[in-house]
Amino acid sequence: MAAPTTPDILFNAGTFRLYHNRIEIDQHGLFGRTTRTDIIYYNDITSIQATGKTIRLYRSGLKPNITIRLRNKPDTQTALAIINGGKR
């Protein structure tokens, strides 16, 4: 069953989606099934590091950092622009 698509999604990369105020990342189990979806709000992000096809999100407090790998550099720049625009 495919995940429902809503017009609120700004960028959909399959395993994660960018919205106006949050990032949703699908966590997969042992056999590749989606077990849960983590939600990260832009307010929790303290800094961002983008190199090549990778975006690393540093979060506030004791929350773990997140690494996102994309297919190509233009997708990385698009995702970075959306995240930076949402942090305002």
Side-chain angles (χ1 to χ4, degrees), residues 6-21:
T6 61
D8 296 339
I9 297 175
L10 298 177
F11 186 82
N12 189 354
T15 58
F16 74 95
R17 290 160 302 285
L18 297 175
Y19 293 87
H20 291 287
N21 63 345

Side-chain angles (χ1 to χ4, degrees), residues 10 18-23 42-43 45 48 57 76-88:
L10 298 177
L18 297 175
Y19 293 87
H20 291 287
N21 63 345
R22 70 185 183 277
I23 301 170
Y42 294 142
N43 295 339
I45 298 172
I48 302 169
L57 305 171
T76 303
Q77 295 301 319
T78 303
L80 187 62
I82 292 169
I83 293 169
N84 284 334
K87 286 186 63 72
R88 295 180 190 181

